């Protein structure tokens, strides 16, 4: 037993548990929606200043995440979440103290940052096309490529999730060295970072015996290390704070009634065309098809019109109240 412990410490790394690898993945999955919620709150309060940030949130987040992950992969041989849980990526038989090759860093960035962005965009595209596909008029107007995408993508998504689940199950039972197929494709293994004391042994010469130039270099190094540790600690604390805000606002808004918004003024009636205005959509100004009500205001629109408008502008076109696509209620009018 003691000999095994000695060998483990000599190698400098060991296989992390399945709870550690799942914990670092859950951290990544909660950061994006938590930050987006904070951006949405800011955009609702200051739409002229933060509206563009909410509209292009995915692209801005991906760019910032790319820079962050690139720094951590080059500096700590791990992503931000992996470094947070004291995990490190090891390439082949190289020691865990060495840096990752440039090609491995770029492949890691692709599977950690770029591929999730593509997957999210495909999910959003599928949801949009599925809503259009479920409407009779939209189904007739869809192209053959869009219909094929709606039919095939659920199977692609199933294969994706099935591969991830298979790797996690095999890793849990010790049958595989990777908990994710993307980590396997990157060519690295994940291990615990057990190295300590490297920076302590770097200064073996007493301070009094150092020259002025060596003292300045040592001070600059300590300042840079302190800055890096401060930034890393601040990001870690900020992540926990963002998760707390996300939980707080979710629990607060989940019980909010639809009547919490002020009652909008009734639409002005035109006595000369009162009979013809009843079935007119306020957006396209044509006779409504596939009637859909917006619950935050009570107005009724064509489903394609109000769905596209709310998805793009996040508000009611008549009352300007904040709205989401889940506030749409389809109406089924039957003859008396």
């Amino acid at each position: 037993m003691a000999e095994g412990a000695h060998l483990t410490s000599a190698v400098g790394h060991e296989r992390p548990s399945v709870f550690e690898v799942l914990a670092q993945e859950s951290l990544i999955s909660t950061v994006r929606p938590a930050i987006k919620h904070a951006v949405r709150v800011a955009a609702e309060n200051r739409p002229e200043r933060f509206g563009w940030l909410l509209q292009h949130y995915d692209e801005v987040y991906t760019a910032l995440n790319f820079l962050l992950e690139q720094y951590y992969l080059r500096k700590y041989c791990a992503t931000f979440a992996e470094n947070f849980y004291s995990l490190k990526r090891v390439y082949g038989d190289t020691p865990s103290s060495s840096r990752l090759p440039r090609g491995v860093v770029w492949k890691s960035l692709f599977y950690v940052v770029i591929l999730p962005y593509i997957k999210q965009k495909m999910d959003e595209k599928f949801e949009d096309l599925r809503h259009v596909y479920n409407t009779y008029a939209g189904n007739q107007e869809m192209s053959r490529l869009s219909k094929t995408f709606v039919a095939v993508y659920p199977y692609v998504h199933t294969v994706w999730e099935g591969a991830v689940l298979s790797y996690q199950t095999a890793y849990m039972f010790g049958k595989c060295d990777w908990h994710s197929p993307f980590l396997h494709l990157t060519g690295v293994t994940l291990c615990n970072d057990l190295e300590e004391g490297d920076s302590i042994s770097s200064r073996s010469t007493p301070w009094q015996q150092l020259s002025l130039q060596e003292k300045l270099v040592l001070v600059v190094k300590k300042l840079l290390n302190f800055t890096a540790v401060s930034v890393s600690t601040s990001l870690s604390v900020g992540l926990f704070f963002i998760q707390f805000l996300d939980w707080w606002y979710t629990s607060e808004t989940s019980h909010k009634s639809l009547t919490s918004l002020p009652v909008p003024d009734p639409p002005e009636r035109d006595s000369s065309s009162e009979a013809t205005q009843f079935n007119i959509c306020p957006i396209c100004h044509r006779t409504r098809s596939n009637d859909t009500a917006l619950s935050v205001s009570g107005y009724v629109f064509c489903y394609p019109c109000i769905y596209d408008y709310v998805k793009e502008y996040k508000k009611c076109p008549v009352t300007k109240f904040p709205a989401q696509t889940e506030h749409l209620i389809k109406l089924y009018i039957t003859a008396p």
Side-chain angles (χ1 to χ4, degrees), residues 148-208:
T148 304
F149 178 78
V150 173
V152 173
Y153 186 73
Y155 298 98
V156 177
H157 180 77
T158 302
V159 172
W160 177 297
E161 297 296 335
V164 173
L165 180 60
S166 300
Y167 267 81
Q168 291 178 353
T169 304
Y171 185 86
M172 181 173 58
F173 289 101
K175 303 298 183 180
C176 183
D177 294 331
W178 305 274
H179 71 283
S180 169
F182 310 113
L183 195 68
H184 190 183
L185 293 173
T186 306
V188 297
T189 55
L190 207 59
C191 62
N192 282 316
D193 184 15
L194 302 178
E195 296 180 0
E196 296 179 356
D198 293 340
S199 60
I200 297 177
S201 59
S202 61
R203 185 171 64 90
S204 58
T205 307
W207 174 265
Q208 294 80 4

Side-chain angles (χ1 to χ4, degrees), residues 85-129:
Y85 285 96
S86 299
L87 304 178
K88 178 173 288 189
R89 297 188 171 207
V90 178
Y91 177 69
D93 297 330
T94 58
S96 60
S97 58
S98 61
R99 292 189 176 184
L100 295 174
R102 183 184 299 270
V104 175
V105 171
W106 284 106
K107 285 198 293 185
S108 299
L109 288 172
F110 175 79
Y111 289 116
V112 172
V113 180
I114 305 301
L115 190 60
Y117 170 77
I118 297 175
K119 176 66 165 53
Q120 183 182 9
K121 287 300 181 182
M122 292 180 67
D123 290 343
E124 294 178 357
K125 186 65 174 179
F126 171 75
E127 291 297 330
D128 294 342
L129 293 178

Side-chain angles (χ1 to χ4, degrees), residues 11-313:
V11 174
H13 56 81
E14 63 180 12
R15 173 191 173 100
S17 66
V18 66
F19 301 103
E20 290 174 313
V21 296
L22 293 182
Q24 64 90 16
E25 285 196 350
S26 65
L27 178 62
I28 291 297
S29 62
T30 56
V31 169
R32 180 189 293 265
I35 299 179
K36 188 172 184 178
H37 182 83
V39 172
R40 182 182 293 111
V41 172
E44 291 177 353
N45 294 330
R46 291 290 188 87
E48 70 282 356
R49 179 173 297 181
F50 301 106
W52 67 271
L53 185 59
L54 180 61
Q55 186 176 3
H56 304 284
Y57 171 78
D58 293 335
E59 288 72 21
V60 174
Y61 178 86
T62 301
L64 296 178
N65 189 33
F66 184 89
L67 297 176
L68 177 67
E69 299 295 2
Q70 184 184 30
Y71 170 78
Y72 270 85
L73 285 169
R74 294 184 182 277
K75 180 71 175 180
Y76 303 105
C77 301
T79 63
F80 174 75
E82 293 167 355
N83 181 75
F84 182 80
Y85 285 96
S86 299
L87 304 178
K88 178 173 288 189
R89 297 188 171 207
V90 178
Y91 177 69
D93 297 330
T94 58
S96 60
S97 58
S98 61
R99 292 189 176 184
L100 295 174
R102 183 184 299 270
V104 175
V105 171
W106 284 106
K107 285 198 293 185
S108 299
L109 288 172
F110 175 79
Y111 289 116
V112 172
V113 180
I114 305 301
L115 190 60
Y117 170 77
I118 297 175
K119 176 66 165 53
Q120 183 182 9
K121 287 300 181 182
M122 292 180 67
D123 290 343
E124 294 178 357
K125 186 65 174 179
F126 171 75
E127 291 297 330
D128 294 342
L129 293 178
R130 186 168 64 90
H131 281 286
V132 177
Y133 185 82
N134 290 334
T135 62
Y136 178 78
N139 189 5
Q140 298 296 323
E141 297 176 357
M142 286 180 61
S143 62
R144 184 182 299 272
L145 180 61
S146 298
K147 293 181 180 179
T148 304
F149 178 78
V150 173
V152 173
Y153 186 73
Y155 298 98
V156 177
H157 180 77
T158 302
V159 172
W160 177 297
E161 297 296 335
V164 173
L165 180 60
S166 300
Y167 267 81
Q168 291 178 353
T169 304
Y171 185 86
M172 181 173 58
F173 289 101
K175 303 298 183 180
C176 183
D177 294 331
W178 305 274
H179 71 283
S180 169
F182 310 113
L183 195 68
H184 190 183
L185 293 173
T186 306
V188 297
T189 55
L190 207 59
C191 62
N192 282 316
D193 184 15
L194 302 178
E195 296 180 0
E196 296 179 356
D198 293 340
S199 60
I200 297 177
S201 59
S202 61
R203 185 171 64 90
S204 58
T205 307
W207 174 265
Q208 294 80 4
Q209 300 180 8
L210 295 176
S211 63
L212 179 60
Q213 183 178 2
E214 292 175 339
K215 289 181 180 180
L216 292 176
V217 171
L218 184 60
V219 170
V220 171
K221 287 183 177 180
K222 284 189 171 293
L223 288 176
L224 292 177
N225 290 334
F226 176 77
T227 303
V229 172
S230 300
V231 172
S232 178
T233 305
S234 301
L235 287 174
S236 303
V237 175
L239 287 178
F240 280 111
F241 181 70
I242 288 174
Q243 292 182 26
F244 172 76
L245 284 180
D246 182 65
W247 169 83
W248 177 269
Y249 281 109
T250 301
S251 61
E252 184 180 79
T253 57
S254 60
H255 304 287
K256 185 175 292 185
S257 173
L258 292 176
T259 59
S260 59
L261 293 172
V263 178
D265 296 330
E268 298 181 359
R269 290 178 174 267
D270 187 357
S271 57
S272 61
S273 58
E274 181 176 353
T276 60
Q277 292 293 326
F278 178 75
N279 292 326
I280 298 300
C281 173
I283 299 179
C284 65
H285 302 291
R286 292 181 293 184
T287 303
R288 291 196 306 265
S289 62
N290 201 347
D291 295 358
T292 303
L294 186 60
S295 60
V296 299
S297 62
Y299 283 87
V300 183
F301 311 84
C302 301
Y303 177 79
C305 296
I306 188 59
Y307 180 83
D308 294 339
Y309 188 93
V310 170
K311 186 172 181 59
E312 180 177 0
Y313 298 104

Side-chain angles (χ1 to χ4, degrees), residues 307-335:
Y307 180 83
D308 294 339
Y309 188 93
V310 170
K311 186 172 181 59
E312 180 177 0
Y313 298 104
K314 304 294 188 299
K315 62 182 179 180
C316 173
V318 180
T319 63
K320 309 305 179 184
F321 287 167
Q324 301 293 333
T325 54
E326 56 263 25
H327 296 148
L328 301 178
I329 302 176
K330 298 183 70 173
L331 303 179
Y332 299 92
I333 303 176
T334 58

